[in-house]
Amino acid sequence: MNITVIGTGYVGLVSGVCFAEFGFDVTCVDNNLAKVESLKKGEVPIYEPGLDKLMKKNMVAGRLGFSSSTKDSVKDADIIFIAVGTPSKEDGSANLDYVYLAVAELAGSVNPNTVLVIKSTVPVGTTKSVKKFLQDRGVEIDVAFNPEFLKEGAAIDDFMHPDRVILGVESKKAKKVLSQVYRPLYVFNVPIVFTNLETAELSKYSSNAFLAMKVTFINEIANLCEVCGADVNDVALAMGLDKRIGDKFLLAGPGYGGSCFPKDTSALADFAKDFGVNMNLVEETISSNDKRRAKMVKKILSACDGEVKGKDISVLGVTFKANTDDMRDSPSIEIIQALQEAGANIKVYDPSFSQQAKRIFNNVSWEKNPYECCNDADVVLILTDWSEFRALNLKELRKRVKNPLLIDLRNIYSVDEVRASGFSYCSVGRVFCK
Ligand code: UGA
């Protein structure tokens, strides 16, 4: 089976590499020539644990190649996946330009037996519109929609051992070809759900919006905990033990970020309106999450007795979450910039040494390890839950800082542990311990 994947972002590259690992012949296409050249050399353009090894292995095995020509790469494809970005437009709607660009490019050379599968996250109705777009150009092929549920930082495992595979199809042929593509997962008893195009498209948005809502819910509970004396970690534990609720996505923090939740919640609220439906809960989630970053800045200022002017703040972690170098919509951006505006001096250590972050922040000192970062700090501020921050030698850190104040916006420490090491501890949804 020849598989062509158009787009080599997180979803496209991980999917292409993993399909090759299943044993299929895969060509990944991107119109960015420089990116394709570096992929051909085995260089992975994103930070994703394990991806470089798996990619090289499959290139050496001759199952994985890269090309900048859509035309050449789709001619002999049995199945084409479109996995290009669908970023937010100014008004919050999904920008489908890259999807249609890819479809227009393949229209001239695709063979009539190919099944075209959209993997990009697209509003309900898009896959049918793509079919119509092709028909208007005299191209009659089967289309399908197959959402991707991988998380950055755990993408390979999510692809290889998914909770489910959702396949929106409207023909027997698409069902047959997609069954073959995902047959390797039957061995793990992965539920494979065939449904119509609209349902598959909406499942993706509903899943992301629900998870975003869950995170926002626990963040609002955290606000309440701070004033009523409850501990949000324990509340989340108590809730999560109920199997109907589940324990995932109940970690309180600085609000969700990244390239998916913010854009997909906005797009869902937007296209639901086109169907005449108001997504009130989703809109409330977006608004609550938007306010969260300013709330975190207030929290930091208040822990510093209202004043950070001239203070040295050592920030541990700036990426939107751990195990990625991705800075898209990271809460750290607004938080650090607000602290700088208030006159703080910022030092940063982030284990990904994110180049994106270096382009975003001005007047920041970049440190090589967490301990050097905390030398002479007035405040140690944890913004990302990287594993290597979970067991820092707090006694050593205490010796290095000017002022022992630890602000942990990811709740990765226990209150008792931090207090025992001589720090004041300000976290989320728990009482501030001076
Ligand atoms: C998310 C979904 O989890 C994936 O299933 C989906 O495939 C992907 O979007 C996508 O649409 O492509 P991702 O954006 O990589 O994955 O990151 P998540 O792990 O979901 O985290 C999103 C944000 O929520 C992060 O800012 C994270 O720090 C925050 N979060 C997550 C919390 O604050 N608390 C939690 O308990 C969980």
Side-chain angles (χ1 to χ4, degrees):
M1 165 110 56
N2 287 329
I3 298 180
T4 296
V5 181
I6 301 179
T8 60
Y10 270 97
V11 172
L13 189 58
V14 171
S15 305
V17 169
C18 291
F19 283 138
E21 177 67 11
F22 284 165
F24 299 118
D25 290 313
V26 179
T27 306
C28 291
V29 187
D30 204 291
N31 54 14
N32 179 336
L33 276 173
K35 195 175 181 188
V36 170
E37 283 317 307
S38 101
L39 284 163
K40 281 181 176 169
K41 287 187 214 142
E43 292 161 6
V44 177
I46 52 176
Y47 180 107
E48 185 59 42
L51 187 60
D52 50 349
K53 255 198 193 156
L54 206 62
M55 187 175 110
K56 278 186 205 132
K57 177 184 160 198
N58 282 284
M59 289 172 79
V60 171
R63 290 192 294 265
L64 178 64
F66 297 96
S67 170
S68 54
S69 165
T70 302
K71 204 171 142 206
D72 295 344
S73 311
V74 300
K75 273 194 315 234
D76 301 321
D78 298 301
I79 184 160
I80 301 169
F81 286 91
I82 294 189
V84 296
T86 51
S88 280
K89 287 192 201 166
E90 283 281 298
D91 63 359
S93 64
N95 179 349
L96 299 177
D97 290 356
Y98 302 112
V99 173
Y100 280 101
L101 196 67
V103 178
E105 275 180 9
L106 67 87
S109 28
V110 68
N111 81 67
N113 297 317
T114 305
V115 174
L116 175 64
V117 184
I118 311 283
K119 222 181 209 317
S120 308
T121 302
V122 292
V124 173
T126 304
T127 310
K128 270 209 177 126
S129 303
V130 163
K131 186 169 173 104
K132 169 91 176 37
F133 180 93
L134 286 165
Q135 282 169 334
D136 291 346
R137 283 154 187 77
V139 181
E140 195 66 58
I141 54 171
D142 291 67
V143 294
F145 182 77
N146 168 215
E148 188 46 65
F149 297 105
L150 56 82
K151 300 182 290 296
E152 290 184 18
I156 294 170
D157 194 53
D158 284 347
F159 194 95
M160 292 294 191
H161 303 99
D163 290 343
R164 76 301 205 189
V165 173
I166 307 295
L167 298 165
V169 294
E170 51 176 19
S171 70
K172 281 192 181 142
K173 187 168 129 203
K175 186 171 180 180
K176 188 172 161 213
V177 174
L178 278 162
S179 297
Q180 285 167 357
V181 167
Y182 284 106
R183 194 194 46 76
L185 295 178
Y186 278 73
V187 74
F188 307 119
N189 292 321
V190 173
I192 310 262
V193 179
F194 282 98
T195 182
N196 66 19
L197 299 175
E198 292 78 5
T199 309
E201 289 168 331
L202 188 54
S203 327
K204 169 69 189 192
Y205 282 105
S206 311
S207 300
N208 271 2
F210 188 81
L211 291 172
M213 203 172 74
K214 213 173 164 189
V215 170
T216 305
F217 179 85
I218 201 67
N219 284 338
E220 293 206 349
I221 293 293
N223 294 344
L224 181 56
C225 288
E226 284 171 19
V227 288
C228 77
D231 179 323
V232 76
N233 281 16
D234 290 347
V235 173
L237 177 69
M239 287 172 64
L241 286 170
D242 184 331
K243 290 192 182 65
R244 294 169 303 175
I245 297 172
D247 60 357
K248 306 283 189 299
F249 282 71
L250 284 179
L251 296 172
Y256 62 78
S259 65
C260 305
F261 285 2
K263 111 178 143 64
D264 291 347
T265 45
S266 295
L268 174 57
D270 176 79
F271 76 72
K273 281 203 186 88
D274 297 342
F275 288 96
V277 176
N278 272 335
M279 303 300 293
N280 297 326
L281 275 178
V282 177
E283 282 176 10
E284 213 26 74
T285 297
I286 296 168
S287 150
S288 175
N289 193 65
D290 283 348
K291 290 182 202 132
R292 184 117 191 113
R293 295 157 190 204
K295 192 166 176 59
M296 293 297 106
V297 174
K298 263 197 183 159
K299 178 193 248 314
I300 296 164
L301 284 168
S302 133
C304 297
D305 299 323
E307 181 69 273
V308 291
K309 193 158 192 253
K311 290 202 168 136
D312 295 317
I313 302 187
S314 298
V315 177
L316 300 181
V318 286
T319 52
F320 83 94
K321 64 172 192 175
N323 296 323
T324 180
D325 63 351
D326 202 337
M327 286 296 296
R328 283 176 287 179
D329 225 325
S330 178
S332 71
I333 301 174
E334 272 169 68
I335 294 173
I336 290 179
Q337 287 172 350
L339 293 174
Q340 285 181 316
E341 274 164 32
N345 309 312
I346 305 288
K347 284 205 250 177
V348 173
Y349 168 68
D350 187 279
S352 73
F353 299 101
S354 170
Q355 292 305 314
Q356 285 180 40
K358 291 192 177 154
R359 286 192 289 271
I360 291 170
F361 296 117
N362 296 320
N363 300 323
V364 158
S365 154
W366 297 95
E367 304 296 327
K368 288 195 209 63
N369 70 56
Y371 294 98
E372 279 179 33
C373 185
C374 294
N375 283 342
D376 300 319
D378 290 299
V379 182
V380 175
L381 173 61
I382 297 176
L383 290 184
T384 312
D385 50 348
W386 285 92
S387 295
E388 70 175 86
F389 302 152
R390 289 175 192 276
L392 291 169
N393 182 338
L394 294 179
K395 294 226 162 87
E396 168 63 23
L397 223 54
R398 171 72 187 86
K399 284 187 214 145
R400 288 173 179 255
V401 298
K402 233 172 3 206
N403 175 50
L405 171 60
L406 175 60
I407 304 180
D408 173 9
L409 297 189
R410 296 286 183 164
N411 284 4
I412 60 180
Y413 280 95
S414 82
V415 175
D416 292 345
E417 187 186 3
V418 179
R419 293 195 77 191
S421 64
F423 275 93
S424 299
Y425 186 48
C426 170
S427 54
V428 176
R430 298 185 293 189
V431 173
F432 180 21
C433 300
K434 289 211 184 201

